[in-house]
Amino acid sequence: MHQALLMSVSKSRFLSVFILVMAIVVAGTYDLTGQITFSHRFFYDYVSVASNVVELPEGYLISGVAHELVPDALIRRQFFRKIDHNGNVLSSELIGNDSLEFLNFGNVNTWVSDEVFLIGTTSYIDGINHASLFWLSSTGEVFFRKDYLSPSFDADNLFSQWMQPTDVCSNENGDIFLSAIVASPTTGSDYCVFKIDQDGDVVWTYLHATIAEPDACYEIKPTADGGVLISMTEENVIEDFILSKLIELDSEGQVLNIQEMPLEPTINDFVLVGESIVVATLRVEGWLHVTGHVYKTGLNGQLEWETNLGGDAAIEQQMYHVVESNDNAYIFAGNRFESIPDNDQNDGLYNWYGWLVKVDDDGMVVWDRRYRYVISTQDEHKVYDLKATNDGGFIFCGQATDHDFDNPDVELPIQQAWVVKVDQYGCLVPDCHVGVEEFAKREGLFKIGPNPVSQGDLLHIYVTDIQSLSQASIEVHDMQGKLVTSIQDLASSVTYILPIDDIPVGTYVVSLLDRGLVVDSEKLVVR
C-alpha cells in the first residue's frame, strides 16, 4: 500500500458508503464476448521494459530488456517471457552477460512462417554495436541469433559502429527485410535496409546516405513483387522542417519510386491498405503542443483524410502504432499526456496514459480508451508494441513508470514492464464501450473487475464520463470504515489498474467521491 495515497475517513462518510452498498450485488467472474482481458506489471532484477509482443498458439511471448545489477555494473539482458491466454506465466528466459548486452526498440518482430518468427534488437558484443535477430519457434523457443554490423562500420571509429534496428518484415517467399538507423559521419544519422535469407545471411544492403540532412526509417512493409516499402523521414536542418517519404525498393534492392507524403511529421507506423497507407504519427501545433495525429493517404501522396486525436493536451502526445481491426477500421496506440487539474496539492503534476483509439475507414473516432497503472501521484506509461489477437481483441506492451521520485513507499524499480490485453472495444472491464447514458443505467459512474479478485492480483476500475464532477476520487474502505487505498484526481474514460497486493482477504467498499462526498459505490470481494 502506498502511504502517500492514504487518507482519513470520517464516520459519517463511512456510514453513507455502507448504506449505499447494502443493495449492491457482488459480480462474479465475467466474460467479455469470449475475449479474456488482463494486465500485468513486472520486472526482473532491476529496470525492465517490454518492447515486443507476439501471439503464440498457447498464449503470448513478451520480450524486452531487463537490467541486472551486478557489482560495479549494470547488465542489460534480453528477456523472453511466455504467458498463456489468461496472462499466467508459463516460462521465462534471460539471455546476456557482461560481454553480450541488449537494448530494444519497440515492435521489431515478424512471422516468417507458421513455425518461425523473428524478434530484432540492438546488441553489444564485446562492446561493439550490432543489430541482432532472434529466430524463434511457434512455441517461443529460441533457435539461433544472427548479428549484423552497420554498413558504415569502421573498426577505428567508435561512432561509426552505432546502429539501431527499427523494424523487420517478411514476404510470402520467406525473404526477410531488416531496417536500421545507422550513424553518419556527416549528418548524424542515415538508415539502411538488409535483405536476409532464411538462414540469416545478408543478400543485399541498401544504404540511404545524404550529405546535408539526418535521415531515419521506422517502418517497412513487404510489397507483392518481392520488394519492400520504406517510410523515411528527412530532417531539413537549414529550413527547420521534417519531410516524410515512401521509398519503394525492388527485390534486388534498387529504388523503384520515391513519393513525398502530404503531411510533415514522422511516420511512426503504417499499414498498407490496397493502394493507400494509414499512418500513426504526431502533430506539432506550437511550442510544447504535440498531439496524436493519424491520416490516410494514397501511395501517390494524395491525402484522403486526417484526424487530430489530441485535443488541447500538450507535450509528448503521440501515436506510435497502428493495426487493422477485423471490421475494416484501425486501432492506434500511443501515449496521452494530461496535466492533473491545478489545485493547492497537485500544482504542476501530470500523468501519461497508455492510449488506444479506434478510427473507422473514413477517419472518424469510434472509441477512445486510456489506461493508467496506479503507482503514485503521477505516472508515465509507454506503449512499444500493439497486436490484434486471434479472439478479436488487442494486446499491447511497454512500460509503466512512477515519477513520484520522492515517495519512499513506491516499489522499486520504478520503471517496469507492462502488458495489457483488452477486448474488441478496448475494455478491461465489461460495458466500457456502451454510451454514457446506457452505462449509467447499467453500472452507475464506474465499474470494477474482476470481482471477486484474488489477493495479489490487479483490480481494474473503469470511470465513465465524470466531467460534471469537480474533484473526483476513488476510495477503498474495509467494512469497519478504515481507508485502505485511494486514487486522486480522476479523469473521464480512463481504466485505472490498481495493485492490491497489501489488501487482506475480505469484503470492501469501493466508492467514487466528488470533493469528499460519495456519489457512487460498489462492493468488492478480495479472496
Side-chain angles (χ1 to χ4, degrees), residues 32 366-371 422-436 439 442-443 447 461-465 493-495:
L32 298 177
V366 179
W367 48 252
D368 183 321
R369 310 278 182 248
R370 300 156 211 181
Y371 313 86
V422 297
D423 74 351
Q424 67 195 74
Y425 305 108
C427 299
L428 269 169
V429 179
D431 293 335
C432 89
H433 65 287
V434 302
V436 174
F439 186 90
R442 296 187 193 181
E443 315 293 352
K447 185 174 177 63
I461 305 173
Y462 172 69
V463 178
T464 184
D465 188 349
S493 302
V494 176
T495 299

Side-chain angles (χ1 to χ4, degrees), residues 225-295:
D225 61 358
V228 65
L229 194 63
I230 305 167
S231 67
M232 169 236 179
T233 299
E234 179 180 287
E235 182 178 356
N236 190 312
V237 179
I238 297 176
E239 299 184 21
D240 190 26
F241 70 89
I242 295 174
L243 188 63
S244 294
K245 300 177 181 179
L246 284 182
I247 298 180
E248 184 179 358
L249 305 183
D250 66 15
S251 60
E252 301 301 320
Q254 301 301 309
V255 176
L256 291 177
N257 186 50
I258 300 178
Q259 178 61 57
E260 186 174 320
M261 291 291 95
L263 298 180
E264 176 182 306
T266 299
I267 298 177
N268 289 329
D269 193 9
F270 72 93
V271 293
L272 189 60
V273 185
E275 294 299 314
S276 301
I277 63 169
V278 176
V279 175
T281 182
L282 56 86
R283 183 174 180 174
V284 181
E285 299 183 330
W287 186 69
L288 292 183
H289 194 185
V290 181
T291 63
H293 203 71
V294 300
Y295 67 89

Side-chain angles (χ1 to χ4, degrees), residues 361-380:
D361 200 35
D362 295 318
M364 303 300 293
V365 174
V366 179
W367 48 252
D368 183 321
R369 310 278 182 248
R370 300 156 211 181
Y371 313 86
R372 177 187 167 196
Y373 190 106
V374 180
I375 312 167
S376 66
T377 54
Q378 53 179 343
D379 306 313
E380 177 181 323

Side-chain angles (χ1 to χ4, degrees), residues 46 48 67 126 156 174 189 224-225 235 270 289 292 302 305 357 378 401 417 450 480 503 511 516 518:
Y46 196 53
S48 302
H67 294 68
D126 294 325
D156 297 323
S189 67
D225 61 358
E235 182 178 356
F270 72 93
H289 194 185
Q302 184 66 43
W305 52 257
V357 178
Q378 53 179 343
T401 304
Q480 284 71 50
I503 298 181
S511 302
V518 176

Side-chain angles (χ1 to χ4, degrees), residues 102 145 457:
F102 296 95
R145 187 189 82 243
D457 207 341

Side-chain angles (χ1 to χ4, degrees), residues 387-439:
K387 293 290 193 303
T389 56
N390 290 332
D391 66 357
F394 306 94
I395 188 169
F396 63 85
C397 69
Q399 69 181 54
T401 304
D402 162 48
H403 272 219
D404 189 4
F405 300 108
D406 296 328
N407 184 355
D409 298 310
V410 171
E411 179 185 15
L412 295 176
I414 61 172
Q415 184 178 352
Q416 297 186 22
W418 187 44
V419 180
V420 178
K421 167 66 172 62
V422 297
D423 74 351
Q424 67 195 74
Y425 305 108
C427 299
L428 269 169
V429 179
D431 293 335
C432 89
H433 65 287
V434 302
V436 174
E437 293 183 3
E438 179 65 22
F439 186 90

